[in-house]
Amino acid sequence: MKAEVRILFIFFLIFHFFKTNGYAQITLPKVFGDNMVLQRDIPIPVWGNATPGSHIVATLGTVTRLIKVNRQGKWMLYFPKFKAGGPYDLKVAYSGKPESSIKLKGLLIGDVWLASGQSNMEWQVQQAQDAPREVAKAGYPQIRFLIVQQNKALSPQKDILAGTWKICDTNTVKQFSAVAYYFARKIHKEQNVPIGIIQSTWGGTPIEPWTSREMLLTSPITRTKTLGDDTLTKHDFLKDSLDMIRLWDIVYHPQENADKITPLPEFKDTDWNGVEMPRLVKDFGIGKYEGIMWLRKKIELPPSFVGKDLVLNIGHPEMNYSLYFNGAEICRSIWNNDRKQFYTIPSSLVKHGENVVSLRIAMLWGGGGLNPPAEDIYITNGHLKISLAEKWLYKKDMESPIPKMRNYQYHPALLFNAMINPLIPFGLKGFIWYQGEANDSAAYHYRKLFPMLISDWRQRWHQGDLPFLYVQLANFRKTDLLPAESEWAELREAQALTLSQPNTGMACTIDIGEVNSIHPLNKQEVGRRLALVAEKKAYRYDICASGPLYKKHVIKGNSVIINFTCTGPGLATRDSATLRGFTIAGNDKKFYWASARIEGDQVIVSSDKVEVPVAVRYAWADNPVCNLINKDGLPAVPFRTDEWRGITQK
């Protein structure tokens, strides 16, 4: 009994101490930190948690504000507008209790942009074009980045999982978004103000996870799927995380000694299936497959190949792979973004006559295999090339199956909850966005989904129609020899139509993509074009920030006259070549390659195969051959004048 009395007495003393003398520790969200950039020329919001009913005093530079904490222990105050400059300190403390102070140092006032989207926005400076040279010269102490740690949540969160502000230098710049960095660098140089980038990205994600639940429930496109997640729990997240660990263990570590047995020349592969290579797994004719697949090819080498080192070029693999020659491991766990896909085969492994090349490929996310062209897959002694294309043998499920991933980061609202909501209402200059690849299979819906996200974010930030600038999908995949339909073209169309939303701007990149990579390396030009759009939309420069944009057309005889806006100093073709990329159709709805010529600010399109034209398309393909520009060098935005496809009739 005496012990219980003592415990009660101790609790009483603790309660009395905190009631009369003590306060809970003041906390600030992680979006605030040393070296951050705060938005100039607007009231500056600062918020956090503290003891209910107490008073908080905050000082930025020489300006002080006082606020009372509400019953939920939350507080928010606004500093007046500041001009660009700094550095400043931010101090937050309980009124009359300087010992409780939190102090953030090295703050700058400038322009803050939220950079978001999927992998092309996430792609790092160290992964992009000219990385060594760009990293070496990246001394910009007035450019700062906050990279939001990836996270997902079932309900809107008040704080991000992790992230700290980093000053741009040769060490930190490597991990920054390349697009956002080159955007920030150009804006910083031209505006001569500090630039802050809040980077909130996750590769492979569609647009729905970045949109709030409330907004998603307003659309029949997303309502059912959003409600379907109401049964999710944190246990589901935990299981998926454990499965992810197992998946990567299998990808990087061959199971059941498969790498010691399967590549051997004497291994029996008589029951294996054949496939013509190069080809991706989706074209194998086996349906959707995810897992580890082994491929083998037997090749005959002449005497001139024996006794010397050879070079084997495996072309353009997709996903993670390992290569073996006559049972010996040549490389292990190489990803498709590695630009070096050729390897030395030691002379000690080479035999006259039959030799065996083996590949272990992780078929993931619907991808995997070898991309064309066939002429890039060969083995050579430096003088003679022997093709490794055509028939290979393959076998799936020779190793442990990979766990089925739920990939909850793709689910509606879950990234908004964890990676966007905690940032609100941090003061911004605007948004930059690079996403859309993951929505290509339902491109028409993007016409609704993209404006929904823009409206959603703007409404929640309460800063009016903040500039929302975005990148249109680049050219990608093989070039079609004949006019064809294209989901990527339709997604680009949805992006272009979003320009009807107020204060939006788009950077067209139809000329700087890559055939074999969804991650084109020239992020410098992407950032530059985004910055041009920012100069026009956010900084009100009287400049041409876009390539030619379709305005209207007139049918005259057997020709179609196309009118454009954003022609700048005039229309031209890249390298003064013949105008390419136009197709034309009549009432039969069959498109033919068209002849096109520039006349002033118009393009005249015709074909001797179409006597009575009704529609024209330009750059309507995954990877179109197109060359219309304005004389500022910016590419014309792809377009079509028809909407015949069933998917566009909704």
Side-chain angles (χ1 to χ4, degrees), residues 31-40 42 44-45 60 83-88 104-113 140-146 164-168 184 188 193-198 426-429:
V31 70
F32 296 101
D34 293 339
N35 306 314
M36 68 178 168
V37 180
L38 297 171
Q39 181 58 43
R40 61 173 169 156
I42 67 168
I44 299 174
L60 179 61
K83 296 296 182 184
Y88 296 99
L104 303 181
K105 300 174 289 184
L107 281 57
L108 298 178
I109 308 295
D111 287 340
V112 182
W113 292 84
Y140 294 98
Q142 289 201 331
I143 296 177
R144 281 93 185 275
F145 268 66
L146 170 67
T164 56
W165 285 89
K166 303 290 186 182
I167 297 173
C168 179
H188 170 58
V193 298
I195 300 294
I197 299 290
I198 300 176
F426 196 90
L428 299 177
K429 183 68 174 179

Side-chain angles (χ1 to χ4, degrees), residues 412-424:
L414 298 189
L415 299 187
F416 173 87
N417 290 341
M419 298 177 66
I420 298 297
N421 193 72
L423 307 174
I424 302 170

Side-chain angles (χ1 to χ4, degrees), residues 373-393:
E375 54 265 29
D376 286 353
I377 308 173
Y378 60 85
I379 190 168
T380 179
N381 62 359
H383 304 286
L384 176 66
K385 288 183 180 179
I386 295 178
S387 174
L388 298 180
E390 299 182 348
K391 186 177 180 180
W392 285 61
L393 298 177

Side-chain angles (χ1 to χ4, degrees), residues 59-99:
T59 302
L60 179 61
T62 60
V63 179
T64 298
R65 288 290 183 266
L66 182 69
I67 191 74
K68 185 178 180 179
V69 182
N70 69 17
R71 292 180 178 180
Q72 289 73 44
K74 302 182 184 304
W75 56 270
M76 177 177 288
L77 55 82
Y78 287 85
F79 287 102
K81 298 177 183 179
F82 275 63
K83 296 296 182 184
Y88 296 99
D89 290 341
L90 172 63
K91 300 176 183 177
V92 181
Y94 285 111
S95 180
K97 296 187 177 294
E99 70 277 6

Side-chain angles (χ1 to χ4, degrees), residues 118-139:
Q118 57 182 110
S119 56
N120 268 308
M121 183 64 86
E122 187 175 344
W123 209 249
Q124 299 175 347
V125 171
Q126 65 185 346
Q127 297 173 298
Q129 178 176 280
D130 297 331
R133 180 175 62 86
E134 294 287 10
V135 169
K137 65 178 185 179

Side-chain angles (χ1 to χ4, degrees), residues 472 508 510 547-549 564 574 618-619 626 628-630 634-639:
Q472 191 181 43
C508 176
I510 197 63
L549 189 64
F564 298 88
R574 192 178 301 108
Y618 173 72
C626 55
L628 179 61
I629 61 173
N630 60 26
L634 295 172
V637 175
F639 69 90

